[in-house]
């Protein structure tokens, strides 16, 4: 199973990035750092005559990179009790992709994918981050992605995540699970 990781943080070596990299130890994955791309916010033209128009930004190449993968990890810091703005911009653009003739099987292809959410933040993130997890659940339900689980770590300042033994243990367990899924079935 091929894995793509969509990093929604703006800080290099952030707590969420460290947590995700713990999960990915020994695993080959397509890594997409949204901070390195320019993604325009969606212009909602669903009900306009002519509908959506192609947008000159980096969004389509990112979709092209993640579509061949079976498992998607959405990695985001918890900003103001939600996902980061760049992650939200990326997901908002799915509305356009759903109606884009260049991606006729987008929703059907997404139904075959599994997703995990990896997040970290301060201010009681395991409690106050739950509405964000619910938001991802609704997004995945709508698009048909199987939501396989999440890890929320406690980390505000750079490197704080190293002190969160619970999140690091969960990351190690998910690493084991992904290693098993990546192995071909035995005969």
């Amino acid at each position: 199973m091929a894995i793509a990781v969509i990093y929604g943080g703006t800080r290099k070596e952030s707590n969420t990035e460290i947590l995700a990299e713990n999960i990915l130890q020994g695993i080959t994955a397509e890594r997409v750092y949204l901070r390195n791309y320019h993604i325009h916010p969606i212009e909602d033209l669903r009900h306009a005559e002519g509908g959506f128009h192609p947008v000159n930004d980096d969004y389509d190449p990112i979709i092209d990179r993640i579509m061949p993968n079976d498992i998607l990890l959405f990695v985001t810091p918890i900003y103001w009790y939600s996902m980061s703005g760049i992650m939200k911009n990326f997901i908002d653009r799915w509305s356009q992709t759903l109606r884009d003739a260049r991606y006729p099987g987008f929703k059907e292809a997404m139904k075959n994918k599994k997703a995990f959410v990896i997040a970290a933040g301060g201010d009681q993130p395991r409690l106050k981050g739950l509405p964000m997890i619910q938001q991802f659940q609704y997004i995945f339900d709508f698009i048909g992605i199987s939501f396989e689980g999440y890890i929320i770590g406690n980390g505000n300042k750079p490197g704080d995540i190293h002190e969160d033994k619970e999140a690091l243990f969960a990351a190690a367990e998910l690493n084991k699970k992904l290693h098993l899924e990546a192995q071909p079935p035995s005969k």
Side-chain angles (χ1 to χ4, degrees):
M1 299 198 103
I3 300 171
V5 187
I6 301 106
Y7 291 94
T10 57
R11 184 170 62 198
K12 290 181 182 181
E13 298 178 26
S14 68
N15 290 306
T16 51
E17 203 170 299
I18 292 167
L19 193 55
E21 289 303 318
N22 273 273
I23 294 164
L24 296 169
Q25 286 183 20
I27 297 173
T28 302
E30 177 77 26
R31 289 171 169 82
V32 177
Y33 298 88
L34 295 178
R35 68 176 173 257
N36 295 334
Y37 298 94
H38 182 70
I39 301 172
H40 289 292
I42 191 161
E43 182 182 354
D44 188 357
L45 299 172
R46 289 175 296 161
H47 306 290
E49 189 174 324
F52 290 105
H53 308 287
V55 178
N56 186 18
D57 66 1
D58 298 323
Y59 171 80
D60 288 346
I62 295 170
I63 287 295
D64 294 339
R65 285 176 64 190
I66 69 165
M67 288 307 292
N69 295 279
D70 307 297
I71 298 173
L72 305 176
L73 270 65
F74 292 84
V75 180
T76 180
I78 302 172
Y79 286 159
W80 290 100
Y81 312 100
S82 188
M83 69 182 78
S84 68
I86 57 176
M87 180 69 77
K88 186 69 168 76
N89 273 348
F90 172 70
I91 293 173
D92 281 351
R93 289 285 295 280
W94 291 4
S95 293
Q96 184 171 354
T97 307
L98 285 167
R99 293 164 177 80
D100 191 328
R102 296 171 302 153
Y103 298 96
F106 178 70
K107 190 169 185 177
E108 199 58 37
M110 294 299 270
K111 288 180 182 178
N112 297 320
K113 300 186 186 316
K114 297 178 180 180
F116 295 88
V117 175
I118 313 303
D123 191 22
Q124 302 177 329
R126 287 187 184 86
L127 173 65
K128 295 181 180 180
L130 290 177
M132 178 193 69
I133 297 301
Q134 187 175 39
Q135 181 182 24
F136 272 106
Q137 176 71 65
Y138 291 144
I139 292 165
F140 299 152
D141 286 350
F142 179 83
I143 204 81
I145 295 172
S146 175
F147 189 15
E148 298 292 310
Y150 65 92
I151 299 172
I152 297 178
N154 187 7
N156 191 24
K157 293 183 297 197
D160 278 356
I161 197 67
H162 293 295
E163 304 303 317
D164 187 344
K165 303 303 181 205
E166 184 179 334
L168 294 174
F169 177 78
E173 291 300 302
L174 182 51
N175 174 273
K176 290 176 193 173
K177 179 179 179 171
L178 293 176
H179 270 290
L180 288 173
E181 289 198 30
Q183 293 179 358
S186 56
K187 294 182 180 181

